[in-house]
Amino acid sequence: MLPTEEAHDLLALTQELCDRELTGKAAAYEARAEFPREVIRTLGRSGLLGLPYPEEVGGAGQPYEVYLQVLETLAGSWLAMAEAVSVHTLACYPVFAHGSERQRKSLPDMLGGELLGAYCLSEPQGGSDAAALTTKAVRDGDEWVVTGTKAWITHGRDADFYNIFCRTGEPGPRGISCLIADAGTPGLEPQKAENVMGLRSSAPAQIVFDNCRLPSDRLVGAEGAGFTIAMEALDAGRLGIAACAVGLAQAAVDYAVAYAKEREQFGRPIAEFQGLGFMLADMATQVSAARALLLSAARLKDAGRPFSTEAAKAKLFATDVAMRVTTDAVQVLGGAGYVSDHPVERWFREAKVLQIVEGTNQIQRMVISRALVKG
Ligand SMILES: Cc1cc2nc3c(=O)[nH]c(=O)nc-3n(C[C@H](O)[C@H](O)[C@H](O)COP(=O)(O)OP(=O)(O)OC[C@H]3O[C@@H](n4cnc5c(N)ncnc54)[C@H](O)[C@@H]3O)c2cc1C
């Protein structure tokens, strides 16, 4: 499954890090809804926050195929941390691909994990119809003045830099630009953390922009190119969410199998009952299929070929699988699956968000069906 010896070592290292630093902490941080900034720092120091970016700019130069398997490993240990790596990787994309010489000077700190990123696209009045966004940036001399509200922003209260997709021109996608702002800029006001169902250690927050002034050189890429930049970043980001889904689902299968081998009813381990064994078989098969679809999309990206539709398929399929498999894992544990003594209850709640973020699964179906019809 892995292309190089180096990739093997990287995955072994990630697993070690998960066992040492992540798995044992997840349940308590999730219960307290506390963001573990020091765990993110550890991930950064271990080189996991810039994996798919070139070494020349401070990344690790890994193919997507490898990066996604690292994410899968992290997700099997603590989904919120895998999602944090995926969102941060996404947030580094605009400056990496479209940033000015000066903006790109920050890349080593971004990719080394010194600076944590947020990606601000969604708004209270619309997430799916992103091209209708209303947060506005108006030129005033040498500055942009940003007003509006962004919603559901992962790392909203903890990020060091924010990509802001905002309207600088006409209605529709061509009137959108991308600006980058530092945390603490006056007028950039993170709100309280949302009271979310899962991923509680990394709860999103609204960001209010109240006449937030940014120097004109904070424009990333050309004026009016923001929507294209946002969609390019999301294409790759969707692969990250699919990898998170595969990791979570695999953890649920492993846990359910181990439980079913131990738990006895009618004098036998419940795994020996065909009704349950077939359920486990279906769970494992779905996860393998999701992983295969994800890796085939990743290999297209690594080969420099169009991968956007395949990424949408992988995100759709893998996240639906994660929801089904975590639901079945709760069933395998019976009553024990419904209480927080076992992690499957939390994984079931966490799976749900993967069907919503970075384009809901209805939007993925729209992307796929449009590509089919266009031919
Ligand atoms: C935990 C969490 C973290 C997030 N992190 C970020 C982040 O870091 N940055 C960011 O910008 N956003 C983030 N989001 C926002 C997320 O991307 C949006 O919630 C998502 O895109 C859906 O937008 P919405 O919530 O406005 O739902 P809506 O767009 O209002 O959709 C509501 C329902 O209508 C359906 N729907 C909408 N349009 C269509 C259509 N044309 N056809 C069929 N069905 C349709 C949707 O699928 C959905 O089921 C996050 C959300 C959550 C919950």
Side-chain angles (χ1 to χ4, degrees):
M1 273 296 185
L2 288 163
T4 62
E5 195 63 30
E6 187 196 357
H8 256 287
D9 292 347
L10 176 62
L11 228 63
L13 214 91
T14 307
Q15 187 60 62
E16 238 175 72
L17 188 74
C18 287
D19 296 342
R20 204 179 54 238
E21 304 278 349
L22 270 69
T23 311
K25 293 181 180 159
Y29 274 90
E30 290 298 328
R32 292 197 302 269
E34 181 184 337
F35 185 68
R37 192 66 171 88
E38 78 289 352
V39 174
I40 301 277
R41 271 192 206 98
T42 306
L43 294 172
R45 278 197 292 268
S46 309
L48 301 189
L49 287 181
L51 284 174
Y53 293 101
E55 286 171 311
E56 306 86 83
V57 291
Q62 290 298 316
Y64 250 70
E65 179 186 354
V66 174
Y67 158 60
L68 295 174
Q69 289 183 72
V70 168
L71 274 188
E72 182 189 330
T73 306
L74 291 171
S77 166
W78 187 351
L79 183 67
M81 294 303 95
E83 199 240 8
V85 172
S86 181
V87 168
H88 175 77
T89 304
L90 168 86
C92 292
Y93 177 83
V95 166
F96 167 71
H98 298 275
S100 64
E101 199 74 2
R102 183 154 171 215
Q103 289 163 355
R104 283 168 62 87
K105 287 206 167 89
S106 303
L107 278 173
D109 282 341
M110 292 176 171
L111 301 175
E114 291 304 312
L115 302 176
L116 185 66
Y119 174 92
C120 309
L121 180 65
S122 304
E123 299 186 346
Q125 62 279 16
S128 299
D129 188 7
L133 63 81
T134 60
T135 295
K136 212 165 59 175
V138 178
R139 279 297 282 263
D140 180 19
D142 269 355
E143 293 179 321
W144 291 101
V145 184
V146 187
T147 46
T149 303
K150 291 292 178 182
W152 309 112
I153 306 307
T154 300
H155 306 154
R157 295 170 58 80
D158 302 282
D160 299 296
F161 67 94
Y162 296 79
N163 296 283
I164 313 158
F165 297 96
C166 48
R167 191 156 302 286
T168 53
E170 63 190 85
R174 281 201 288 260
I176 294 171
S177 299
C178 177
L179 297 173
I180 187 157
D182 296 329
T185 304
L188 188 165
E189 298 166 0
Q191 306 296 299
K192 68 175 174 44
E194 299 289 352
N195 189 10
V196 276
M197 179 194 290
L199 289 184
R200 293 179 60 78
S201 68
S202 183
Q206 287 197 352
I207 312 284
V208 170
F209 293 93
D210 180 12
N211 288 303
C212 174
R213 290 183 168 269
L214 298 171
S216 56
D217 66 1
R218 288 312 187 99
L219 179 70
V220 182
E223 195 173 330
F227 192 72
T228 307
I229 297 173
M231 293 303 119
E232 282 172 14
L234 278 183
D235 272 348
R238 281 167 185 163
L239 291 173
I241 298 301
C244 288
V246 171
L248 184 73
Q250 183 66 60
V253 171
D254 294 345
Y255 201 91
V257 168
Y259 185 87
K261 280 160 65 180
E262 286 290 319
R263 174 76 175 171
E264 293 193 357
Q265 288 296 286
F266 303 96
R268 293 156 65 189
I270 57 171
E272 288 182 14
F273 297 114
Q274 196 181 58
L276 207 92
F278 278 14
M279 191 187 242
L280 294 173
D282 285 345
M283 289 160 72
T285 305
Q286 290 176 74
V287 177
S288 297
R291 183 180 293 116
L293 188 57
L294 167 68
L295 291 179
S296 84
R299 286 172 191 143
L300 282 178
K301 176 165 170 46
D302 288 332
R305 294 175 49 200
F307 69 97
S308 176
T309 313
E310 297 309 301
K313 288 181 191 169
K315 195 272 177 182
L316 165 64
F317 188 76
T319 60
D320 280 357
V321 162
M323 193 68 252
R324 277 199 301 272
V325 164
T326 52
T327 305
D328 287 347
V330 171
Q331 191 69 18
V332 169
L333 269 72
Y338 201 65
V339 289
S340 58
D341 304 7
H342 294 273
V344 292
E345 169 269 341
R346 172 163 58 84
W347 294 341
F348 165 82
R349 287 186 282 107
E350 291 176 344
K352 187 63 214 168
V353 82
L354 300 173
Q355 294 179 304
I356 297 170
V357 292
E358 300 201 18
T360 66
N361 284 5
Q362 283 74 31
I363 296 303
Q364 306 307 324
R365 287 182 173 91
M366 218 164 79
V367 169
I368 299 161
S369 64
R370 272 188 191 153
L372 288 172
V373 173
K374 217 169 84 190

